[in-house]
Amino acid sequence: MKKIGSIIALLAGVLLAGQAFAQAPGQSYFGASFGAVWTDGGSPYTINVVNEDVSVGFKAFAGNMLWNKFGLEVGYYYLGTYETEFTGSGQPFMEAQTSAIAVNGVYTTPLGPGYAFHAKVGLAFTLYEASCRDAAVCAASVPVMLNTKNYGVSGMLGIGISANLAKDLALRMDFEHIGSVHQAVGNTDFKDGYDIFSVGIQFTF
C-alpha cells in the first residue's frame, strides 16, 4: 500500500535526521503518543451519506524487555471519534467512538548509536460505541438506530523507530494496524480495520 510505504519512509527519515545515544537493552519503559487514525468503519451506512474516516487518536503504553531483544507491551488506545451525515446536509446524525486495550509481544533491535527498531504482534480488546445525535433523523431513516456498545478481540501488528533524546528519554514513532474490529449500530453488525500513525515520548527506568 502506498500509504503504508509513505508513512514508513517518513518515520525513518525524521528519526534518522537527529542525533542521540544508544538505548540500553532490558529496561522497562512507559510513554504516550498522539497521531492520526484511518478507518472505513465509522458506520455501516454507505448510501447517500458521508462517513468521516480520519480522526485524531492517542495511546498510553508501558513495557518491559523480558529477555534479550524480546519483551511485552501493554497499551490503552483511543482510536478517535467518527461522524456520519447525509450528503449535503452538514448535520451529523450519528457518532461513533472506538477504544482498545492492547497486549503485544515486542521485538527490539538497535539500528545504530541512539536508534532502535521495534516490531510488535498481539491482541487488541476493543470497544465500539455508537450514538444517535439526531433522534428524529435516526428514527425516520435508520432502522433500529439505538445507542450501542460492541466489544471484540482483534489481531494487531506494528512497527516503529525510537531515537534517544537524553539518557532516559526517547522520541518514538509508530505505525500500527488493528484488524477486523467488531462494531455494531443498532442491530447491524460489521467489522473494519484501523491504521494508527503516532508520535510520542518514551521514558525508560
Side-chain angles (χ1 to χ4, degrees), residues 178-190:
I178 299 176
S180 298
V181 173
H182 297 256
Q183 299 164 104
V185 175
N187 61 358
T188 303
D189 295 325
F190 61 106

Side-chain angles (χ1 to χ4, degrees), residues 24 32 34-35 39 44 51 67 75 81-82 88 97 116 119 134 152 159 163 171 184:
F34 290 85
T39 182
N51 289 306
W67 64 91
T81 299
Y82 304 89
Q97 299 183 51
D134 189 324
I159 58 171
L171 175 68

Side-chain angles (χ1 to χ4, degrees), residues 122-158:
L123 295 174
F125 301 87
T126 60
L127 169 61
Y128 176 87
E129 300 178 271
S131 59
C132 183
R133 294 181 57 177
D134 189 324
V137 172
C138 292
S141 305
V142 185
V144 198
M145 174 56 205
L146 304 174
N147 296 342
T148 54
K149 293 184 179 181
N150 203 32
Y151 298 89
V153 180
S154 302
M156 182 172 182
L157 298 169

Side-chain angles (χ1 to χ4, degrees), residues 16-58:
L16 294 177
Q19 293 183 353
F21 299 96
Q23 179 181 349
Q27 292 180 312
S28 297
Y29 61 88
F30 68 95
S33 301
F34 290 85
V37 183
W38 293 266
T39 182
D40 291 327
S43 86
Y45 306 111
T46 59
I47 300 175
N48 194 33
V49 298
V50 178
N51 289 306
E52 180 183 348
D53 59 2
V54 180
S55 186
V56 176
F58 69 87

Side-chain angles (χ1 to χ4, degrees), residues 15 23 108-112 114-118 160-163:
L15 285 178
Q23 179 181 349
T108 301
T109 187
L111 288 178
Y115 302 99
F117 168 83
H118 54 267
I161 300 174
S162 62

